[in-house]
């Protein structure tokens, strides 16, 4: 009995010890949050990204467009300012009032197709136009203010004159080569005027070279037109011909290295850089009459509407129409020389009998009136009352450099020749070849 009691007491003691140990373990496991002083974990919440700064509204033609929408377009054939503005809540009465105010600034009737315009309208459902800006050319723009005041202002952009140099080798025609080198048709026409009496530009050949110093007029870095050609150089079959430009009070004229004028008493051709389709001959098969007869003139093929210029100063003695000549003009230059221009589509403004004209002035436009199978100019030339071949007639040169301007000519000559001698034709040729290699679609 005593032994059983001892055994029971031992069991009780062991159970008590187990319970006490378990309680201690539980107490220490859960006492952390109650008795320990650990630092609480800090959670950093990222701030929302700041919106990008708002881009300011563009300023268009000096007008802030914060509350305006911009519409850019090109005037279409048949469109007027009235039809354009009608789509932007501007009624005909307002357009009429605007047109009255615009007459002395820029008449709305002069708005032409294929010219750019910009319209600024309110950002609402009505989209009412606030401004209409029209560009009649690359230099000017007209602002029509359509707000309550209705105002019209014409502005002019700043024109910058930049001097350029051009050098190249003839590959094909002079026309193609100058354009390929970065020049313009206007430059080619100028060269034709200068060199026309010394060199047949239609016979210029591959391997000949040219160098040019000229001015360009630019607006905002964009070339709008060619300026003065200050100097030129053409090497043809080894012959070097410089043309030095100098102003002796009547605009630029061109002289060779010796101060002799390139200019004859007359221009060589009445149509700029055109093609000769028929020459002066005592016997030619007439394409309309179908018979052989003399053709005592030179035909220049050119598109309809091409300007025709008088080859020299003079007085118009005839300006009319005949069944053979169509619309024609005849000009007496002096006691020796008279010229005639046939088959015109129309006469230039102010050209009538008794009108005085100056060399290079437009007197009419190429057409196909009279006995003609297509648009061209028939040019006739009289010397002492007898028709002669204008292209073979030896005419006197204009006056050389005057004594008063010889020092200025010498300075211009040294400057132009020095600069042209530094131009590298071979370098230009390599540039052209490199440009072709960079453009696989370019055909040589």
């Amino acid at each position: 009995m005593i032994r059983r009691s001892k055994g029971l007491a031992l069991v009780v003691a062991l159970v008590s010890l187990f319970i006490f140990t378990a309680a201690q373990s539980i107490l220490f496991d859960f006492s952390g949050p109650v008795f320990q002083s650990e630092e609480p974990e800090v959670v950093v919440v990222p701030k929302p990204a700041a919106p990008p700064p708002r881009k300011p509204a563009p300023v268009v033609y000096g007008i802030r467009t914060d509350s305006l929408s911009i519409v850019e377009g090109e005037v279409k054939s048949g469109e007027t300012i009235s039809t354009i503005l009608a789509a932007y809540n501007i009624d005909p009465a307002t357009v009429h009032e605007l047109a009255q105010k615009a007459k002395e600034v820029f008449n709305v009737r002069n708005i032409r197709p294929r010219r750019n315009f910009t319209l600024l309208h309110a950002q609402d459902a009505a989209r009412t136009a606030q401004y209409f800006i029209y560009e009649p050319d690359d230099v000017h723009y007209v602002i029509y203010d359509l707000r309550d005041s209705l105002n019209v202002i014409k502005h002019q952009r700043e024109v910058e004159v930049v001097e350029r140099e051009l050098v190249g080798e003839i590959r094909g025609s002079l026309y193609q080569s100058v354009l390929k080198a970065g020049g313009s048709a206007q430059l080619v026409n100028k060269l034709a005027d200068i060199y026309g009496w010394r060199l047949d530009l239609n016979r210029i050949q591959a391997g000949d070279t040219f160098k040019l110093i000229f001015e360009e007029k630019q607006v905002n870095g964009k070339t709008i037109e060619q300026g003065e050609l200050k100097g030129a150089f053409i090497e043809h079959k080894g012959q070097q011909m410089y043309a030095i430009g100098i102003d002796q009070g009547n605009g630029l004229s061109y002289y060779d290295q010796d101060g002799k004028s390139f200019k004859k008493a007359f221009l060589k051709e009445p149509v700029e850089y055109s093609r000769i389709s028929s020459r002066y001959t005592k016997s030619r098969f007439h394409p309309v009459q179908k018979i052989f007869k003399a053709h005592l003139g030179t035909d220049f093929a050119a598109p309809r509407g091409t300007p025709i210029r008088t080859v020299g100063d003079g007085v118009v003695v005839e300006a009319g129409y005949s069944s053979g000549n169509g619309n024609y003009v005849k000009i007496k230059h002096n006691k020796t020389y008279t010229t005639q221009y046939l088959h015109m589509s129309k006469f230039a403004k102010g050209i009538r009998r008794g009108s005085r004209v100056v060399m290079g002035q437009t007197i009419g436009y190429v057409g196909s009136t009279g006995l003609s199978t297509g648009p061209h100019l028939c040019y006739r030339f009289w010397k002492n009352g007898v028709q002669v071949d204008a292209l073979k007639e030896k005419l006197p040169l204009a006056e050389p450099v005057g004594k008063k301007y010889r020092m200025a000519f010498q300075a211009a000559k040294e400057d132009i020749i020095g600069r042209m001698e530094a131009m590298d034709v071979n370098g230009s040729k390599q540039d052209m070849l490199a440009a072709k290699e960079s453009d696989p679609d370019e055909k040589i």
Side-chain angles (χ1 to χ4, degrees):
M1 186 68 178
I2 295 172
R3 190 177 292 174
R4 183 181 300 173
S5 299
K6 289 182 179 179
L8 180 61
L10 180 61
V11 171
V12 171
L14 289 174
V15 170
S16 300
L17 179 62
F18 174 78
I19 292 172
F20 176 79
T21 303
Q24 287 286 91
S25 174
I26 293 171
L27 178 63
F28 281 106
D29 283 346
F30 288 93
S31 63
V34 178
F35 299 104
Q36 294 179 4
S37 58
E38 294 181 357
E39 291 291 333
E41 184 180 355
V42 178
V43 179
V44 178
V45 180
K47 295 181 180 180
R54 186 176 182 182
K55 190 175 180 180
V59 177
V60 179
Y61 299 96
I63 304 167
R64 296 193 62 84
T65 60
D66 304 79
S67 59
L68 299 172
S69 293
I70 303 170
V71 177
E72 295 178 333
E74 187 179 271
V75 180
K76 298 175 182 177
S77 180
E79 274 191 328
T80 64
I81 190 171
S82 182
T83 57
I84 294 172
L85 295 180
Y88 295 91
N89 203 31
I90 303 297
D91 57 71
T94 303
V95 174
H96 176 74
E97 184 180 350
L98 181 70
Q100 298 304 309
K101 290 193 174 186
K103 281 185 177 179
E104 301 301 321
V105 182
F106 188 87
N107 198 321
V108 296
R109 293 180 180 273
N110 293 330
I111 292 176
R112 296 287 180 259
R114 295 183 295 279
R115 295 303 310 175
N116 295 330
F117 73 84
T118 300
L119 189 142
L120 307 178
H121 67 76
Q123 296 175 345
D124 55 21
R127 301 197 310 162
T128 303
Q130 304 293 301
Y131 299 92
F132 178 78
I133 303 99
Y134 173 72
E135 298 189 8
D137 52 53
D138 292 324
V139 177
H140 301 91
Y141 60 93
V142 185
I143 298 179
Y144 296 92
D145 188 341
L146 304 169
R147 297 172 301 172
D148 294 338
S149 57
L150 288 181
N151 195 20
V152 184
I153 305 174
K154 186 176 182 180
H155 296 266
Q156 179 173 327
R157 296 183 174 100
E158 182 180 354
V159 179
E160 184 181 7
V161 178
V162 178
E163 194 170 282
R164 285 191 56 197
E165 296 178 353
L166 201 66
V167 57
E169 181 178 308
I170 301 300
R171 303 176 71 191
S173 68
L174 175 66
Y175 181 87
Q176 293 169 332
S177 301
V178 171
L179 264 62
K180 193 68 178 177
S184 66
Q186 187 179 351
L187 271 179
V188 180
N189 289 334
K190 195 68 175 177
L191 286 173
D193 280 346
I194 295 171
Y195 286 93
W197 289 105
R198 302 240 184 146
L199 177 65
D200 186 349
L201 296 180
N202 290 309
R203 295 186 180 182
I204 205 164
Q205 59 190 22
D208 291 346
T209 58
F210 62 88
K211 300 177 182 180
L212 309 173
I213 298 174
F214 59 97
E215 294 176 342
E216 277 186 348
K217 294 181 180 179
Q218 298 182 356
V219 172
N220 296 330
K222 175 188 175 184
T223 299
I224 57 171
E225 67 174 296
Q226 223 80 66
E228 296 282 8
L229 177 62
K230 300 181 71 174
F233 167 88
I234 290 180
E235 183 174 1
H236 174 60
K237 293 183 178 180
Q239 181 186 5
Q240 297 184 347
M241 291 173 281
Y242 285 94
I244 315 298
I246 183 173
D247 189 347
Q248 299 188 84
N250 296 308
L252 279 182
S253 296
Y254 298 90
Y255 302 86
D256 63 17
Q257 300 97 305
D258 300 321
K260 295 178 181 177
S261 178
F262 270 87
K263 185 179 177 181
K264 295 282 187 176
F266 295 88
L267 296 176
K268 188 174 182 180
E269 298 178 352
V271 182
E272 289 188 331
Y273 208 70
S274 56
R275 178 177 62 85
I276 296 175
S277 56
S278 183
R279 293 180 178 270
Y280 180 100
T281 178
K282 293 295 180 68
S283 180
R284 182 192 73 159
F285 185 76
H286 196 284
V288 177
Q289 296 176 319
K290 307 298 182 184
I291 59 173
F292 283 93
K293 60 185 294 187
H295 181 246
L296 304 181
T298 305
D299 287 351
F300 294 89
R304 184 184 304 274
T306 300
I308 299 168
R309 55 190 183 173
T310 172
V311 295
D313 299 350
V315 176
V316 176
V317 291
E318 295 178 29
Y321 178 88
S322 71
S323 58
N325 296 342
N327 294 320
Y328 73 97
V329 172
K330 194 170 186 178
I331 298 172
K332 186 176 181 63
H333 301 283
N334 52 35
K335 292 180 180 180
T336 306
Y337 298 108
T338 302
T339 56
Q340 191 178 34
Y341 312 80
L342 282 57
H343 308 307
M344 295 180 175
S345 59
K346 62 179 181 178
F347 305 113
K349 186 177 180 180
I351 298 301
R352 60 181 65 87
R353 185 175 180 179
S355 300
R356 182 165 293 277
V357 293
V358 297
M359 180 188 294
Q361 179 179 336
T362 298
I363 57 173
Y365 302 89
V366 170
S368 187
T369 55
L371 289 178
S372 170
T373 58
H376 74 285
L377 168 69
C378 180
Y379 170 54
R380 298 184 177 181
F381 198 95
W382 281 263
K383 181 179 180 180
N384 295 322
V386 179
Q387 282 188 259
V388 297
D389 187 346
L391 301 184
K392 293 183 178 180
E393 188 63 27
K394 293 183 178 180
L395 298 169
L397 289 170
E399 292 295 321
V401 174
K403 291 182 179 180
K404 181 180 177 181
Y405 295 94
R406 285 179 184 173
M407 288 185 65
F409 169 74
Q410 188 63 29
K413 170 184 169 181
E414 291 176 1
D415 175 60
I416 288 171
I417 292 180
R419 291 170 62 182
M420 287 185 171
E421 286 178 344
M423 295 183 193
D424 185 4
V425 176
N426 293 325
S428 174
K429 186 177 179 180
Q430 291 301 319
D431 290 343
M432 291 174 66
L433 290 173
K436 286 181 177 294
E437 289 174 1
S438 66
D439 185 0
D441 296 328
E442 179 70 19
K443 295 182 180 179
I444 299 177

